[in-house]
Amino acid sequence: MAEALAVSLLTQRCEGCGSELAPRLLTCPSCRKLVHGKRLTQLATDAQAASERGAPMEALALWREALDLLPPGTAQHAQVTARVTALSQQADAQGLAAPLAEAERKRSGMPKVLASMGAVGLMLWKFKFVLALLLGKGKLLLLGLTKASTLFSMLFAVSVYWTMWGWSFALGLVACIYVHEMGHVASLRRLGMKADAPMFIPGLGAFVRLKQVPVDEREDARVGLAGPIWGSAAAVVVMVAAVLTGWKALGAIAHAAAWLNLFNLVPVWQLDGSRGFRALARQQRWIAVAVLGATWFATGENLLLLIAGVAAFRALLTPASETGDRRTLVEYCALVVGLGALGWVAQHWTGAAVAL
């Protein structure tokens, strides 16, 4: 009796013809009516209201939710995809300049004391929004640690690495990997996509499971390269701390973090570099190959030869984007050069510190 009641509660029927619907169907097989018609209408209304009150990121998240409830290949799906793409490009264009633009718009609302200071006052007023941005990213980093699955998997990874390399290296390496993964989460949130918190797998790093998929190659590249960008920033911070304190263990952590982020730029399978390469035109891919070769020549990091070989294969034999994305090319090449240089500095500094 209880089982029959549970089945009846889970059974969904079409609002149009009353036919019983299988789980996860988006259209009724009998009358072709949208299964989630009422929810879609509400989402469209809420998204339009969000756009009208100047909340494009909220509207983007709502339109993405609507996209998940529409069958691919339909006119409605194409229309909502176009809206999502337009709002995503708007978020892309704003980037980190959004807080400064907000400061310009609110300039008339500055306190009189700051306004009387002219350019200095405006700079301090803008700094308020930059500080708010940094604090927001700090809160995001802490947010992942509130998830039990993330925290316990991190502790397990630390315990495994501890047995191999000691507690200090284990903690530093896991922290850098965590920052890398939260870079993906931050990019997903900025583009209005849902995702789980990071999960750690000792020996393989960590991963973030997407609940929604990017609508185009540009979004995929933004999400993919956000990890190495945040991870590189973490490695730089650790390297600066190593130089300031003279603690060679920090230099070793910086070197390992730089190497791991560089390895993620291999354009193969589901690695971050592959996500970036999907957005590059064929000519842009050859530019990336050239940058990889030049960085290997300057640093002697043999991992760059592996990445260059795979990149050349992708440039020569696999389908490429018709238009390409310049920002992706700049980010990818900057990561190659920056991580190659950071790894070289960390390796040589650590060696010098050990010698001392």
Side-chain angles (χ1 to χ4, degrees):
M1 181 67 178
E3 292 180 359
L5 179 60
V7 170
S8 65
L9 291 174
L10 292 174
T11 300
Q12 187 175 6
R13 294 189 176 277
C14 175
E15 297 175 356
C17 65
S19 299
E20 187 173 317
L21 301 172
R24 299 186 179 181
L25 277 180
L26 299 178
T27 56
C28 174
S30 299
C31 66
R32 309 306 301 173
K33 183 180 179 67
L34 290 172
V35 172
H36 304 284
K38 289 185 178 179
R39 178 58 181 161
L40 285 165
T41 301
Q42 185 62 51
L43 286 170
T45 302
D46 293 345
Q48 188 63 36
S51 295
E52 290 175 355
R53 67 171 181 270
M57 297 304 97
E58 181 182 344
L60 176 57
L62 290 167
W63 283 123
R64 282 196 191 278
E65 186 177 345
L67 194 62
D68 292 339
L69 303 179
L70 288 168
T74 61
Q76 298 99 319
H77 190 277
Q79 291 170 0
V80 175
T81 298
R83 289 179 179 270
V84 169
T85 302
L87 287 169
S88 172
Q89 290 174 342
Q90 180 180 343
D92 224 6
Q94 287 180 344
L96 297 179
L100 296 183
E102 183 71 11
E104 290 289 354
R105 288 194 297 271
K106 295 184 177 181
R107 182 176 179 180
S108 59
M110 280 195 302
K112 291 183 179 180
V113 174
L114 292 179
S116 65
M117 297 170 65
V120 175
L122 178 60
M123 183 177 65
L124 293 174
W125 187 242
K126 286 183 176 181
F127 178 74
K128 167 186 174 181
F129 292 94
V130 175
L131 181 61
L133 175 67
L134 295 175
L135 290 175
K137 293 190 180 300
K139 290 179 181 178
L140 178 62
L141 284 172
L142 294 176
L143 179 64
L145 299 178
T146 64
K147 307 295 182 181
S149 58
T150 298
L151 185 58
F152 287 135
S153 65
M154 283 182 70
L155 293 175
F156 179 61
V158 168
S159 66
V160 172
Y161 297 143
W162 189 336
T163 61
M164 294 186 291
W165 299 305
W167 68 268
S168 59
F169 186 87
L171 283 174
L173 182 62
V174 169
C176 288
I177 295 174
Y178 173 75
V179 173
H180 173 111
E181 296 302 326
M182 290 305 293
H184 294 309
V185 174
S187 182
L188 288 165
R189 287 167 62 101
R190 186 173 63 84
L191 294 173
M193 284 183 269
K194 299 176 182 178
D196 288 334
M199 283 288 293
F200 283 76
I201 304 177
L204 297 177
F207 68 93
V208 173
R209 186 170 64 86
L210 277 67
K211 294 183 178 179
Q212 295 172 310
V213 297
V215 295
D216 55 22
E217 296 166 338
R218 172 192 54 83
E219 279 194 346
D220 202 21
R222 296 292 180 273
V223 173
L225 295 183
I229 289 173
W230 279 50
S232 299
V236 168
V237 170
V238 174
M239 189 65 232
V240 171
V243 172
L244 293 177
T245 62
W247 192 9
K248 62 180 180 294
L250 289 175
I253 294 169
H255 184 217
W259 191 91
L260 285 173
N261 282 283
L262 190 61
F263 178 79
N264 267 280
L265 295 181
V266 180
V268 66
W269 194 48
Q270 292 298 316
L271 292 181
D272 301 331
S274 182
R275 295 182 179 276
F277 250 59
R278 292 186 192 119
L280 297 182
R282 198 166 304 281
Q283 183 179 8
Q284 291 176 326
R285 292 181 177 184
W286 284 117
I287 293 174
V289 172
V291 171
L292 284 161
T295 307
W296 167 78
F297 182 80
T299 64
E301 173 56 70
N302 289 328
L303 176 59
L304 290 163
L305 282 180
L306 170 64
I307 303 175
V310 179
F313 173 81
R314 291 286 300 268
L316 187 65
L317 298 176
T318 61
S321 171
E322 293 293 331
T323 57
D325 184 71
R326 183 178 301 177
R327 175 175 165 180
T328 299
L329 176 64
V330 171
E331 288 182 353
Y332 187 88
C333 292
L335 284 168
V336 167
V337 174
L339 288 169
L342 178 61
W344 184 89
V345 169
Q347 182 179 21
H348 286 75
W349 182 90
T350 304
V354 171
L356 291 175

